[in-house]
Structure formats: C-alpha cells, structure tokens
C-alpha cells in the first residue's frame, strides 16, 4: 500500500461561472463535445467549495462523502456530486480510502435561474486536484494543474472545463487552434483586443424557475436533431470568425456571431424531437428591445442566452454608462423582481485555503 504524504487536510477554491459565445450543444461519451466552444470567464458569479479530507486505510469502499450546500444538506445536488466523485476513483485511487466533507456556496441567489454547474463543478475539480497533490506529495506546475482540473471539471459538466481559466477559454478540438482538445479547455487571451478583456455581462433574470428540460436531456436530443451536422460545421466556422473579430476589434462581427449562436441554440431546441422552448415572452421582448436600441443609437450592445430564458447583456466598458441608463429604464421592468446580476470578464479561480 502506498502511504499518503498527508493523511488529512482542507482545501477551499473559488471558481467562476462562464458564458459561452460559441456554444457547446451536443456530446458523445464521455462528455466529449460535438463541436468546439469559446466562453468569457465571469467574475462575480462564482462558487466557493471547501473540502476537508481524511485518509483512512481501513476504509476500502470509499469515498464517504458528506455534502452541504450553504450549510444545509441538499440531497438532489448531493446525488450528482457523489456520482461524479465516485466516477473519479480510477483517476484518484486514494478516493476509495477517503472521507470527504464538502461545503459549497454560490455568490448568486440559488433561485436566480443561473446555471451553477460550471462554477460548482470547476470549484470541486480544483479542490480534488489540490487534494491529489497533497495526498500524492506532488506539486504540479500551474499549467499542468489547470489542465488536469479542466479535464476533471469536464467530466462533471462540460462547460465547467472552461471555468478554470482567466479571460477566455476554448474547449474542443479545432484545427486552427493549436493545443485545443476535446478533453480539456485552454486559455485563449492571446492577441485578443483589450476591449474584450473587461467586457460586461449583465445577467437579466427573466425567470428564476428551474428549466423544464435540463441540459443533459438537451444534449441527448441533439442525437436525432436533423440539423445537427450543419450546426457542428457552423460552430467550427463561428469559432474561427469570432476569434478573428476579437483580435481585430471588429465589434459588429463579434455581435453578429454571438447573437447568431444564441438564436441557433434555441432554434435547435425547437427543432428537436420532441421540440421545446426555454425562452419566455419577456426573453423575446428583451431581445427586441436590445436590437431596437442598438439600431437607434449605434451602441455596441448584444445579447446571448444559455439553455434557459435569462438574457446575458454583453457590451464593452467604454459604453457602460449609456448602456446602464438604457438597461435600468428599458430592460429592468422585463426582469423577474427587477433582478439583474452585474458581471464582467474575470481572472479565473482562486485558491482560498
Ligand atoms: O455544461 P452543460 O452540460 O451544462 O452544457 C452547457 C451548454 C450551454 O451552456 C448551453 C452552452 C455552453 O457552451 O456553455
């Protein structure tokens, strides 16, 4: 038996959510994306996860996991977390001999309808990789550590693979991006115009309700979607073009692709068998309001959507003053309880303990 370098300890990581500009939608086993994607890493919307571990040689059928969310047991989420950690026993053999006490909190209200899986799974993956270093008595170089964490995070939730990096991250193999991989994401801030490195993303909460169709089912429905092959080609092309646009500070092309991606994601849902819709009437009202304001004023402000009804309002910092006035007067009334979460491109995860 290999003795652990440390047999107990604690780690704590903060990891942000991210918003995809070119979307990942459709996968094959195990969590391999059908097309590459790129996202802005966010800042204010994050999860903090602490993990206390204790190695116990007598324990053979571990890990034994207690999971708390904001100090309380949350069985539905715990089930997913436990299944995910169990699936890592071949990668981290020490897990079978470990007791883990996990406590997780989100910076955003849980009833806000913000998908928390990217921040939650990336925070957990970073924590587990950190424990792996302590138990195995190793220190990986930062790039190696982050790549391992991205790989592990991907197995928990595909989009989580991108959250471990600052600024922008690409996940999924694309012939134009050297080092891109289906297994893990990579940072991509190289040569990107500075206007995109502090971009705003205000999350307009249109509805806080849980989605009627989960992302897991949504990905599955892509398997029989008649437009799937065309979509995967489009994503490859859009990734190449949006990166070019961000390098050249070509705001119009950036905005055109971002909105095309959001509309395509929801069109794919509608064209699934069975078709479904996650947009709400106020999602459409907000989209029309944003487009009308942009046409009237020439302000570079755009929208994107995740797999849900909420709008992500994207704009560069140099137009923030005008956009804020517009947002307060014209978009806030469309939001549930007037809820808007202000966020922006961020610097990635932080180790807290
Ligand atoms: O990571 P998942 O399985 O929750 O899927 C996320 C899919 C989208 O958020 C809709 C797009 C993306 O690339 O983040």
């Amino acid at each position: 038996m290999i003795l652990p370098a440390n047999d107990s300890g604690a780690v704590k990581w903060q990891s942000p959510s991210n918003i995809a500009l070119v979307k990942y939608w459709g996968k094959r086993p195990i969590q391999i994306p059908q097309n590459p994607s790129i996202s802005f890493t966010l800042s204010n919307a994050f999860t903090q996860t602490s993990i206390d571990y204790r190695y116990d040689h007598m324990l053979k059928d571990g890990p034994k996991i207690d999971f708390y969310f904001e100090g309380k047991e949350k069985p539905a989420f715990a089930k997913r977390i436990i299944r995910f950690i169990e699936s890592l026993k071949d990668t981290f053999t020490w897990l079978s001999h470990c007791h883990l006490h996990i406590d997780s909190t989100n910076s955003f209200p849980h009833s806000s309808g913000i998908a928390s899986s990217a921040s939650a799974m990336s925070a957990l993956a970073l924590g587990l990789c950190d424990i792996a270093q302590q138990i195995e008595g190793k220190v990986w170089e930062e790039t190696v550590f982050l790549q391992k964490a991205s790989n592990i995070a991907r197995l928990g939730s595909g989009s989580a693979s991108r959250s471990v990096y600052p600024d922008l991250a690409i996940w999924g193999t694309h012939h134009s991006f050297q080092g891109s991989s289906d297994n893990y994401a990579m940072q991509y801030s190289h040569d990107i115009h500075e206007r995109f490195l502090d971009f705003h993303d205000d999350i307009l909460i249109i509805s806080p309700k849980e989605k009627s169709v989960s992302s897991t089912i949504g990905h599955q429905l892509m398997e029989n979607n008649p437009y799937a092959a065309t979509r995967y080609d489009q994503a490859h092309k859009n990734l190449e073009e949006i990166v070019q646009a961000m390098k050249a500070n070509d705001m119009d092309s950036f905005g055109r692709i971002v909105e095309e991606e959001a509309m395509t994601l929801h069109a794919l849902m509608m064209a699934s068998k069975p078709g479904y819709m996650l947009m709400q009437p106020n999602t459409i009202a907000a989209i029309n309001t944003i487009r009308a304001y942009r046409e009237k004023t020439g302000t570079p402000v755009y929208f994107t959507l995740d797999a849900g009804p909420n709008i992500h309002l994207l704009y560069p910092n140099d137009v923030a003053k005008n956009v804020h006035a517009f947002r307060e007067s014209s978009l806030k009334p469309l939001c549930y309880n007037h809820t808007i979460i202000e966020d922006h491109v961020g610097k990635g995860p932080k180790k807290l303990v």
Side-chain angles (χ1 to χ4, degrees), residues 22 35-38 168-182 184-192 235-247:
V22 171
N35 63 259
S37 56
I38 186 167
L168 283 141
I170 290 178
W171 168 46
T173 307
H174 188 296
H175 63 89
S176 299
F177 297 96
Q178 211 193 346
S180 61
S181 169
D182 284 345
Y184 43 79
M186 64 177 192
Q187 185 179 352
Y188 200 87
S189 340
H190 176 66
D191 284 349
I192 296 292
H236 277 82
K237 192 166 147 284
N238 278 350
L239 175 58
E240 200 151 2
E241 285 184 15
I242 205 167
V243 168
Q244 282 315 320
M246 287 191 282
K247 285 185 178 177

Side-chain angles (χ1 to χ4, degrees), residues 1 60 126 133 155:
M1 186 190 311
K60 299 277 186 280
L126 288 154
Q133 294 192 113
L155 298 168

Side-chain angles (χ1 to χ4, degrees), residues 18-25 27 31 37-39 80 115 117-118 156-160 162 171 211 215-216 219 265 269 305-307:
N18 68 73
I19 180 69
L21 306 171
V22 171
K23 312 285 179 184
Y24 143 63
W25 199 238
K27 63 179 169 183
Q31 298 273 90
S37 56
I38 186 167
S39 56
R80 182 167 172 195
S117 64
S157 164
S159 56
R162 299 183 306 240
W171 168 46
K211 297 177 282 196
S215 289
T216 308
H219 286 293
L265 173 67
M269 294 173 188
L305 302 161
D306 248 337

Side-chain angles (χ1 to χ4, degrees), residues 249-290:
N249 190 20
D250 175 355
M251 217 32 100
D252 290 347
S253 301
F254 169 84
R256 176 182 51 74
I257 298 166
V258 157
E259 294 193 353
E260 180 182 300
E261 281 288 318
M263 299 292 243
T264 301
L265 173 67
H266 285 258
L268 288 165
M269 294 173 188
M270 291 182 222
S272 292
K273 292 175 194 299
Y276 60 103
M277 249 190 286
L278 297 182
M279 286 197 259
Q280 296 283 325
N282 276 358
T283 312
I284 298 167
I287 290 174
N288 290 336
T289 306
I290 295 162

